[in-house]
Amino acid sequence: MVTALATAPAGGATGAAAAPPAPVAHRIEFGRCAAVEHLPSSVECGRLTVPLDYARPDGKKIHLTVSRIRATARGERQGSLVFNPGGPGASSMEFPLYGALPKWSKLARAYDFVGYSPRGVGRSAPLSCQNPKEFAKAPTDSRMHPDAAFKRQKRAEAREYARGCVRRAGADLPYYNSINNARDLDMLRAALGEKKLTFMGASYGTYFGAVYATLFPGHVRRMIFDSVVNPSPRQIWYRNNLDQDIAFERRWGDWLRWVARHDDHYHLGTTKKAVQHAYDKAAGKLRRTPLNGKIGAGQLQSAFLKTGYNDAFWPMRAEALSGYLHGNPKPLIAQALPQAAGAAADENSNAVYTAVECNDASWPHDWRTWNRDNTEIARIAPFETWDNAWMNLPCAYWPDRSQSAAAELDAAVRRADHPAAGQDLVDVAGHAAETQVDAALHGRRGPLDVRTAPGALPPVLLLAAERDAATPYGGALELQRRLPGSSLVTENGAGTHGVAFNDNACVNKYAEAYLLHGKIPAHKVYCASRAEPVPGQQATRAQHALPGK
């Protein structure tokens, strides 16, 4: 999951000085959006061309899809506001539509709202690791304390998933990473005609946004980091995921207590322990007899994980659990049944998430390390620990650059009997040879040491909820230490992931004043928590995409 929310990889750089100069970005020609984007005619779309590998700017190119709605008040226009909702693996192609929402309307007067699909996502050089039908296979199981046989099964699945990524992406695989996401962002800035970037990133978007600030501090105008990933190189990404497990347990406890306080409505028990027992009962029942043949314990856990992202889900999920245990399964079916129509997009998002996090940093390759660490944490934080481990375990079997190139060469050889395959084989062989030399000379690189010198970066604004599960609060404190002059706005006692222009007027006031007028609050300021949801309340559509899972 991220963390995202949801890195520096092969093909990355270890510092700003190591980054080669970017190629010249050509202005984006905007026009009608492709039908596959499902965007109204008010949105215009274009294409950004970037190098696959910035160390070889004249080599292979990929194309990123971009969306935009112009500022509604031309006389007040301040430029483009680029948004990324996290992931890795999330798209912001729908972001221009946010300008029609009341909380965003003042910003929409002053800024062109620009969204895009990062490399690998959607139609932007799409990445895939598995047949979407296989990825979406249901029902699946979820176990808070898995036995040895279950662990062996999940290890085999992770190993095969990593092999699938290599088979499908070949030598391109190492170039899906956070350094390149940051460099793509700078190409987007230039292609929009902006001398300096105004950017808002949520969840994982805060991490590669911070990488951008480190690489290009002089290109920054204003930046909001909303729900902040801990950028410390030693945290990326293995330790961030372990920390996330503990934070999700705390947030899960918040939901259990809330449900217990409203036992008169849900009848699931008057204590945290009783509500947990009700959940465990439902999981066991679904494990034995999947609902609708598709909803097992895995689908239950995936649906209820969202209570940790946004408390707007609290009443919905409580209603579904109560209904299922008291004879009405319809709410749970509506909320947890896998949707075949979304399988391809879900598989694509997961592939990008996996590639970026695995490429960004070295992960433990010894299963004993994973088993020891996750067993220890699951004793105190069982709710999502092992499911999070399974999501990230392909990184234990991740290929280096030379292995990816060799896999692509093997595939080209198998295609060699095709009439047009001759030049393909020559190109792939050359790419493989270059990759082998590069790997031998440089080896594997580690995450960028995110930080800026005092005065090098304009003041930036950090937003964080004190009980955020996906990006624990310590990450915001760490990034603030690394970006001198930054300001941190904390939503006290709250845990919703993605706080800007949501349900806290205090946070919104600071964010709006910063983007419209450049006003930065004190070094640290605090906002009271938003009101808790009430039973029966309907969840509204989230402002930001859920990162990671």
Side-chain angles (χ1 to χ4, degrees):
M1 273 184 2
V2 108
T3 45
L5 108 136
T7 319
T14 53
V24 175
H26 298 286
R27 291 292 289 265
I28 298 172
E29 294 185 11
F30 284 96
R32 179 172 295 182
C33 296
V36 70
E37 299 294 350
H38 302 291
L39 293 170
S41 58
S42 57
V43 182
E44 53 182 356
C45 292
R47 190 171 78 163
L48 172 69
T49 300
V50 301
L52 173 71
D53 177 6
Y54 279 92
R56 300 180 181 88
D58 296 326
K60 182 176 179 177
K61 303 294 193 298
I62 59 176
H63 309 288
L64 313 185
T65 54
V66 183
S67 60
R68 181 178 72 180
I69 287 182
R70 291 279 199 173
T72 58
R74 183 167 297 183
E76 299 174 24
R77 184 181 181 275
Q78 297 188 34
S80 299
L81 172 62
V82 179
F83 175 66
N84 179 275
S91 167
S92 61
M93 288 293 287
E94 292 186 355
F95 174 62
L97 301 177
Y98 287 18
L101 301 174
K103 290 170 186 173
W104 293 84
S105 61
K106 289 183 182 177
L107 294 176
R109 292 176 61 84
Y111 287 100
D112 300 346
F113 275 27
V114 176
Y116 72 109
S117 288
R119 61 171 60 200
V121 179
R123 295 188 299 124
S124 296
L127 189 64
S128 174
C129 293
Q130 191 177 26
N131 184 308
K133 289 183 180 179
E134 182 68 20
F135 178 79
K137 188 183 290 183
T140 58
D141 201 358
S142 170
R143 301 193 182 187
M144 295 186 188
H145 302 286
D147 59 19
F150 191 77
K151 290 176 182 178
R152 282 195 299 272
Q153 173 194 334
K154 302 305 286 187
R155 289 170 66 191
E157 291 173 1
R159 187 182 293 108
E160 182 54 32
Y161 187 84
R163 288 172 179 166
C165 296
V166 179
R167 283 195 300 269
R168 288 169 176 251
D172 291 356
L173 186 60
Y175 301 99
Y176 294 87
N177 61 60
S178 293
I179 293 284
N180 285 339
N181 283 339
R183 293 186 67 82
D184 290 346
L185 183 59
D186 199 53
M187 289 283 283
L188 177 57
R189 171 201 59 77
L192 291 168
E194 303 292 352
K195 290 183 178 180
K196 302 211 172 197
L197 175 71
T198 303
F199 174 75
M200 181 172 170
S203 195
Y204 167 72
T206 70
Y207 178 65
F208 84 83
V211 170
Y212 182 97
T214 301
L215 294 175
F216 308 107
H219 293 185
V220 173
R221 178 178 178 266
R222 291 172 193 162
M223 293 185 108
I224 287 185
F225 299 98
D226 180 2
S227 304
V228 183
V229 168
N230 189 326
S232 170
R234 73 182 189 88
Q235 291 288 126
I236 304 297
W237 285 100
Y238 182 71
R239 291 184 182 277
N240 265 340
N241 276 282
L242 295 176
D243 289 350
Q244 190 183 58
D245 297 337
I246 295 170
F248 261 101
E249 191 70 25
R250 180 176 63 234
R251 192 72 179 130
W252 175 243
D254 290 346
W255 180 76
L256 295 175
R257 282 186 286 270
W258 179 85
V259 176
R261 285 201 302 273
H262 297 289
D263 180 62
D264 58 338
H265 190 93
Y266 298 115
H267 309 294
L268 291 170
T270 58
T271 65
K272 174 183 168 183
K273 185 176 180 180
V275 180
Q276 178 67 59
H277 178 73
Y279 177 87
D280 294 341
K281 179 181 178 182
K285 189 176 175 182
L286 291 168
R287 188 176 293 117
R288 292 187 299 273
T289 310
L291 183 60
N292 265 32
K294 292 286 187 181
I295 302 174
Q299 286 63 48
L300 182 77
Q301 202 275 346
S302 181
F304 278 73
L305 184 69
K306 291 182 180 178
T307 61
Y309 281 105
N310 192 322
D311 49 16
F313 286 103
W314 288 11
M316 296 172 61
R317 296 300 187 261
E319 204 76 54
L321 181 61
S322 178
Y324 175 66
L325 291 176
H326 294 106
N328 176 19
K330 289 182 180 179
L332 184 59
I333 293 171
Q335 295 176 41
L337 187 67
Q339 300 299 313
D346 290 345
E347 190 280 326
N348 168 241
S349 179
N350 195 77
V352 176
Y353 168 89
T354 305
V356 171
E357 293 219 350
C358 296
N359 283 332
D360 272 0
S362 293
W363 290 70
H365 292 293
D366 189 337
W367 163 247
R368 290 173 296 184
T369 301
W370 292 76
N371 195 34
R372 178 199 68 210
D373 292 345
N374 286 279
T375 298
E376 182 179 331
I377 288 178
R379 290 193 185 104
I380 58 171
F383 176 62
E384 77 120 11
T385 295
W386 279 109
D387 285 295
N388 199 15
W390 308 139
M391 184 175 184
N392 292 290
L393 190 58
C395 296
Y397 310 106
W398 203 246
D400 60 25
R401 281 170 287 173
S402 59
Q403 291 169 321
S404 298
E408 183 176 58
L409 184 57
D410 288 344
V413 170
R414 289 193 296 272
R415 297 193 300 265
D417 58 350
H418 189 279
Q423 188 58 47
D424 173 46
L425 185 56
V426 171
D427 292 344
V428 170
H431 192 183
E434 287 179 349
T435 302
Q436 292 277 10
V437 171
D438 190 44
L441 288 174
H442 302 294
R444 188 174 183 89
R445 297 166 184 144
L448 184 74
D449 186 20
V450 166
R451 64 179 66 249
T452 57
L457 182 72
V460 298
L461 186 64
L462 281 58
L463 311 175
E466 190 178 28
R467 297 179 70 81
D468 190 339
T471 52
Y473 184 65
L477 300 176
E478 181 67 22
L479 183 60
Q480 186 175 38
R481 284 192 289 269
R482 290 167 175 267
L483 301 181
S486 58
S487 176
L488 171 60
V489 177
T490 299
E491 186 179 15
N492 280 338
T496 289
H497 184 64
V499 297
F501 304 106
N502 207 311
D503 293 331
N504 192 312
C506 171
V507 175
N508 296 344
K509 176 189 69 174
Y510 285 119
E512 187 176 89
Y514 174 70
L515 286 174
L516 289 180
H517 309 296
K519 291 182 179 178
I520 199 81
H523 183 64
K524 285 186 172 68
V525 295
Y526 300 89
C527 291
S529 178
R530 70 193 66 196
E532 280 193 343
V534 297
Q537 189 175 44
Q538 294 298 310
T540 56
R541 186 176 180 275
Q543 295 273 336
H544 306 318
L546 292 176
K549 292 182 184 174

